[in-house]
Structure formats: structure tokens, C-alpha cells
Amino acid sequence: MNDQDGDWNYHLRILSNSARDSTDPASDPSVLQSVKKLHGFCKLENSDDLVARIYPQINKVFQRSVASLSQSESGTSKSLLLLAILQFFLDFGDMVLHDADPSLRTFFRSCLSREFSDAAVAEATCEFLVENKRKLLASFPNLLPQFFPLLLKLIAWNWEKLEKSFLKIFPGLISPGSFLPLFPSILDLPMLVVALEKVERSSGSGSRVGGSIASIQKSAAPEMLLALMDEAYTGSTIGDGGDDSESEDNNTIDVADPLFLELLKDENDGLAERHRASPALNAALQAAASGPRSERMKQTLKIAPRLLDVYFSVTLRDANDSLICALIPLLMTRNSTMFPDKTFSHEIRRRLLEFVLAAFQRSPNFIALLKKPIIDRLGEAYDDSAKRELALQLCWAIGEYGGGGESHKEAARELFESLELLLYENLSSSRLGLRQESGNASRRTTQSRLLCFVVTAIAKLATYHRELLPRARVALGKVVRSRISDARVWRRAHDYLGLMNEPGICWSVLGPSRVSEKRFPGTVNWSEGGDRVVAHIPFHILSEQGGPPFHDFALSDVIIKN
């Protein structure tokens, strides 16, 4: 290192002078260069003595920079300097017994919260997090999950340039403590952009959005405390401020609105979902959905579905059953509550329903554990198209997985009763409206589709739990005898009634798709169909031929009894 002694001493003197000087270290560009040079020397030499000599000066520069954050205008240069010092702490902290966790949290709270809208700072932060991802997750596993709201603000404001790097970071935001709160935050990304753009308009400077948010949060802190106390002691809901929460143009959110501040928070508070009942927020969302879209909003409407894909993928791979079971009711609630954009809503809802079915396939017992929210969702099947589609998928899952499995008899009975109620309500002329001759084609199709799902679920559930067979026969018989039923519904009910007369065939067709030890005489083992003829089914049972069979052999002649 003889040839580098002069450079090394020169850069160390620069740090030493900066640590003693009264000026802001970030105001001198040479300080950043000296930190990077000294960091490179330490990596090259890998010397504990060298690190020990440099560390005190670098730590002093870090403390001086943090202390002057609120007074400094050089936000970009200061952020880059702090990131360079943090890199030194992560690489050599073990040699000098320096715990980098407080320093990292200080950077997020005091610096990044103000400078996330700066493109250079956002890019440098993402590069820092990508480079140190493994080390951060191993040594500081709660850091990224704690600050996921801040990182979502960063990416919502700077997605176009940081797409690839943020997708590498995003799985690190998911932990047991952030798992539930992160889900609604992803869905609310468009709402977050509405709030950020409101701050930008009010501050008049896009590059200082973070500083404006900090000022708003500081000035609104007493009002937030009073609102929280009022909610705790009186039961009133935060955000029920009426017309006072609306701005002059009646289309934007008041910066003092508690729900507005909730969207702009920097840290995870552990709350999975709060009641959102702000008229100003609803007005702002409708205005944003119906008015011209900014480029940032257009990008955000594409971001959320992609992030949701990663979230669900990580969930199915890593999350335990208790977390997934807690997520499903929240998902059901948010299925009909999201940013009012048609394409965005369609993409999000498709992913939500796919995840619900995948979760039930992974753990069918969830259906029994979540019978109360499932029954509630079935009761909302008439409210709107989103809730009706969710109810359809839940009906399918109930039938496909036997209400949670053969061991959950009581839950299966309660779910069966809910399906019965849904069936009988839809059979009534007041629900279907089939006796009215005009304007009902679309509604008739929709209700018929719902009835087909319900009829199938009833038949499959009764196949799993044979004590429900008498009630299932009564329910399906009413459909067959009903004069107002759609032909498709009538045929399906008729088919299932025929299948129920042959337990083996019924179990083969309507029973579990998974391999089951439960067998009846004549049960078909479909897994053997690749190398042998597994069955000869009289297809008149399936209503392919009305009336009696046209052949002269009985089912007992075809299927040999053991």
C-alpha cells in the first residue's frame, strides 16, 4: 500500500476536517469521494487496523450529517453521502463492533422519508438495497418490513426507472409482521398516488414532496391524537368529519384528513385494515378515476397487479397456514373495495379469486375454519357483480372440497344450509324476476349461472357428507319441479338426482378429486384410465338420453361386485 499511503492520508484528513468543521459535511463533494475511496482501500487491504482508524471519522461524519438534516437544503448530496457511509457500516461493522441497525433506521426515518421523491436518491437507495439484500434480510430481518409504506411511496413516485430493482427488493418487504398490512397497501397504491399528487400540487415542488409530507404530519399530529382518542372513547370513526374534510374544489383531499395522513405514513403500524369512511377520500378517488390520468397514475395501475402476483407467490411458498387463513377474510372484504378503474379492478379481482381457490386447494380445512365469513359473502351475492363472482367461486370451493373435508361435519351442515337458503331465494319469482317480460335477459343469465353453481355445490357437499343426502334430494327435487327454473339449471339438478341413485358412480363423479380411501361398490378409479378401461357408465343417468335406457343390461351386470 506504499503507493497509496498519500491518497489514504489525504482522504482521511478530509474526513477529519469535515468532522470538526461547523459546516454541513454534505456541502463538500470531496467528503463523499473520500468515503468511497477509503471504503475501497479497506476492501482491498482487508485490514482490521485500517478499518479501526477510519471508522471513528466516518461515524462522526454520519452523526454530523444526520444532525443537520432538517436545516440542510442539500438533500440529494446528503442522502448519497449517508448511503455510502451505511455501506461502510454494513461491510466492516463487525470489525469495529458497530450495530448498523440504528443507523439504517435513522436514514429511513430522517432522510429517505424526505427525499424519496428525488430520482437520484430513489435510484441510489434501490441499488443499495439490492446489493445488500441478503445481508439486510439475515442481520436486520425487520428493517424492510417496518418501512414498507415508505418504500411503496418511493416506487409509486419513481416506478418507471426502478421497476426491475424494486421487484428484486419487494419479497424482502414480506414478513410475519408486515404480511397482513402489506396486502391492502398494495391495493391502495393508486390512492397513494392521488395523495402524493395532492401534496405535490399544494407544495408546488415535486422534488420536495417528502419534506411537505413531513411538515403536514408534524402540524397534524395534535389533531390526529385527538381523533384517535375520540375514536377510542366514543366509538366514532376517524374520518367522519363530514363536509369539513373537503377542499375548496370538492375534488381533492384535505391535507388534515386523518385518512389522507394514513395513506402517507412511513412505517408499518401493524394494522391490517382501518375503516375508510371519508367523504373527501371517496370524492377524490372518483375525481381521479373519471378525470385525466397522470403518467404516474397510469404506471401505478399497472404496478399493483404485478406486485400482487409476487405477494401471492411468496405467500403460497413461504407463509404458514395461520397467516393465510387470516388473510382470506381481509381479501374477501377488499374484493369489492378498490380504486374505481375498470381494468385495474378486473385484474386485481381475478388475482384475488385465483389466490382464494389456490389457498383452499392447499388447505381445504380453511373452508371449515372460515365458515362465518364465507356464509356472510354468500349472503352478499345479490349486491353487485364483484360480490356475486366471489360468491360463485366460494360455492365451487365448498362443493369441491366438501366444506373442509369429511371430518368437518358441523361446518359442512352450516354451509349446506347457507347454500339451501341461496337456492330457495333464487328459485322465487321475486328474486329471478322471470315472470317479467322485459329488461331481464342479463339478470336471468346471471342468476341462472349462480343457480348452476349452487346446485352443483349442494350435490357435491351431500356426496361428501351422506347424512345431507335426503335434504339434497329435496332441494334438487324442488329445482326439477320448478316451472320458472332455467333449462340448464333444471338439467343439472336432474342429472345429479340420477347420480345420487348410484352411490359408486356419484362418488366417482361428484366426490373428491384427490385420492380418497372411501369407496363404494362401483366406484371408478379415474387414475387407472391411462392403462385400462375403468368403467362403462350408463349415460342415461346423465340425461344424455331422456327416459329409460335403450340397452337391456343393468348397472350390476357392468360393474362386478367384490
Side-chain angles (χ1 to χ4, degrees):
M1 185 178 169
N2 292 332
D3 296 338
Q4 299 177 349
D5 282 344
D7 288 343
W8 183 86
N9 288 323
Y10 168 74
H11 293 299
L12 188 60
R13 282 197 303 273
I14 289 178
L15 292 189
S16 180
N17 293 335
S18 177
R20 292 195 304 265
D21 198 353
S22 59
T23 60
D24 182 5
S27 61
D28 184 358
S30 64
V31 176
L32 175 59
Q33 294 302 319
S34 295
V35 170
K36 291 182 176 180
K37 285 288 186 180
L38 291 171
H39 182 269
F41 290 152
C42 291
K43 271 198 166 184
L44 183 63
E45 296 295 327
N46 195 24
S47 169
D48 292 0
D49 293 337
L50 189 58
V51 173
R53 291 186 62 186
I54 294 174
Y55 167 73
Q57 304 304 327
I58 285 188
N59 192 37
K60 288 179 182 178
V61 172
F62 183 86
Q63 300 302 331
R64 285 283 312 281
S65 299
V66 169
S68 59
L69 274 171
S70 58
Q71 294 84 21
S72 174
E73 293 297 327
S74 56
T76 303
S77 58
K78 180 162 293 187
S79 301
L80 298 179
L81 174 60
L82 291 177
L83 284 171
I85 296 175
L86 287 173
Q87 188 65 61
F88 181 88
F89 289 162
L90 288 177
D91 289 342
F92 305 109
D94 292 341
M95 294 183 182
V96 292
L97 301 180
H98 177 88
D99 182 8
D101 186 63
S103 302
L104 289 165
R105 292 179 182 274
T106 297
F107 171 76
F108 278 97
R109 289 193 178 109
S110 303
C111 183
L112 188 61
S113 63
R114 293 174 173 270
E115 304 298 334
F116 71 86
S117 58
D118 186 290
V121 174
E123 185 175 2
T125 301
C126 281
E127 290 177 357
F128 172 82
L129 295 176
V130 170
E131 182 178 351
N132 298 282
K133 178 181 175 181
R134 290 187 179 180
K135 189 177 297 184
L136 291 173
L137 294 179
S139 303
F140 316 104
N142 296 322
L143 179 70
L144 296 183
Q146 177 67 27
F147 290 96
F148 81 77
L150 175 57
L151 294 174
L152 288 180
K153 286 197 296 185
L154 180 147
I155 197 60
W157 200 259
N158 304 280
W159 170 259
E160 189 173 359
K161 295 181 179 180
L162 305 177
E163 172 185 352
K164 293 182 179 179
S165 58
F166 188 79
L167 288 175
K168 296 178 182 178
I169 302 167
F170 182 72
L173 274 59
I174 305 173
S175 74
S178 66
F179 178 74
L180 292 178
L182 181 57
F183 168 72
S185 296
I186 296 172
L187 266 60
D188 290 342
L189 272 177
M191 303 182 194
L192 174 60
V193 171
V194 172
L196 290 173
E197 291 182 341
K198 162 62 179 175
V199 175
E200 181 186 31
R201 290 191 296 270
S202 63
S203 65
S205 175
S207 62
R208 297 295 298 170
V209 168
S212 301
I213 292 173
S215 301
I216 293 169
Q217 290 171 334
K218 184 176 180 180
S219 62
E223 289 79 359
M224 279 292 293
L225 179 60
L226 291 174
L228 287 168
M229 293 173 63
D230 186 56
E231 181 181 17
Y233 287 102
T234 67
S236 62
T237 302
I238 293 179
D240 288 343
D243 295 335
D244 292 339
S245 63
E246 296 189 33
S247 61
E248 294 180 0
D249 61 4
N250 211 31
N251 283 328
T252 54
I253 316 171
D254 183 1
V255 294
D257 192 311
L259 293 180
F260 173 80
L261 298 175
E262 171 73 13
L263 287 171
L264 297 175
K265 65 185 180 182
D266 293 327
E267 297 186 45
N268 173 24
D269 56 13
L271 298 178
E273 184 74 335
R274 293 192 60 167
H275 183 64
R276 300 183 182 275
S278 169
L281 179 63
N282 294 333
L285 293 180
Q286 291 296 335
S290 59
R293 308 277 174 80
S294 66
E295 286 301 318
R296 187 173 290 112
M297 176 60 76
K298 293 177 182 178
Q299 290 290 335
T300 303
L301 293 175
K302 298 176 182 179
I303 295 171
R306 297 184 61 184
L307 294 182
L308 203 59
D309 285 337
V310 179
Y311 177 83
F312 284 151
S313 177
V314 173
T315 296
L316 292 174
R317 186 187 68 215
D318 299 334
N320 59 44
D321 284 355
S322 61
L323 287 175
I324 297 178
C325 194
L327 173 65
I328 293 176
L330 177 60
L331 186 150
M332 293 178 183
T333 301
R334 290 306 306 268
N335 179 64
S336 58
T337 308
M338 60 187 68
F339 187 77
D341 176 83
K342 185 177 181 180
T343 302
F344 173 80
S345 300
H346 171 75
E347 291 297 322
I348 293 294
R349 289 191 179 110
R350 179 174 63 83
R351 287 164 170 81
L352 298 187
L353 295 178
E354 288 175 354
F355 174 78
V356 169
L357 296 181
F360 287 152
Q361 181 182 26
R362 165 177 159 166
S363 301
N365 61 306
F366 284 173
I367 297 175
L369 296 174
L370 299 173
K371 63 181 180 182
K372 178 62 169 62
I374 289 176
I375 291 172
D376 292 342
R377 299 290 88 78
L378 293 179
E380 297 173 353
Y382 314 109
D383 293 356
D384 56 50
S385 59
K387 293 181 179 180
R388 181 163 48 250
E389 189 63 31
L390 175 60
L392 288 175
Q393 302 302 326
L394 292 176
C395 286
W396 183 90
I398 292 170
E400 180 68 16
Y401 304 113
E406 296 177 48
S407 61
H408 298 279
K409 298 293 184 183
E410 183 61 25
R413 183 189 61 78
E414 295 182 36
L415 292 168
F416 186 89
E417 290 174 353
S418 297
L419 293 172
E420 275 185 323
L421 178 61
L422 196 57
L423 176 67
Y424 295 149
E425 286 179 340
N426 276 274
L427 284 177
S428 66
S429 58
S430 61
R431 281 292 183 189
L432 284 173
L434 296 179
R435 293 179 180 176
Q436 300 177 12
E437 302 204 357
S438 61
N440 273 322
S442 175
R443 184 176 181 180
R444 186 179 308 178
T445 301
T446 301
Q447 294 293 342
S448 296
R449 182 167 176 255
L450 176 61
L451 271 174
C452 285
F453 274 75
V454 173
V455 164
T456 301
I458 286 175
K460 290 174 75 70
L461 196 57
T463 303
Y464 271 85
H465 304 275
R466 298 189 64 80
E467 66 276 8
L468 299 174
L469 272 175
R471 295 175 63 175
R473 285 194 175 98
V474 171
L476 298 180
K478 290 186 177 181
V479 176
V480 171
R481 293 190 299 271
S482 175
R483 295 182 179 180
I484 60 174
S485 295
D486 183 91
R488 293 168 297 177
V489 180
W490 180 90
R491 172 171 291 189
R492 184 164 297 201
H494 188 272
D495 291 346
Y496 295 151
L497 280 174
L499 282 173
M500 288 177 182
N501 292 327
E502 301 289 345
I505 301 299
C506 187
W507 182 260
S508 302
V509 176
L510 298 178
S513 55
R514 297 183 177 185
V515 177
S516 174
E517 296 180 357
K518 188 173 181 180
R519 312 287 286 182
F520 293 96
T523 299
V524 178
N525 187 356
W526 300 112
S527 62
E528 297 177 351
D531 54 12
R532 68 182 67 183
V533 177
V534 296
H536 299 279
I537 303 175
F539 284 98
H540 76 279
I541 294 178
L542 305 178
S543 285
E544 293 297 328
Q545 173 70 36
F550 54 85
H551 48 70
D552 58 357
F553 58 84
L555 188 62
S556 58
D557 298 329
V558 177
I559 300 177
I560 302 174
K561 296 182 179 180
N562 294 329

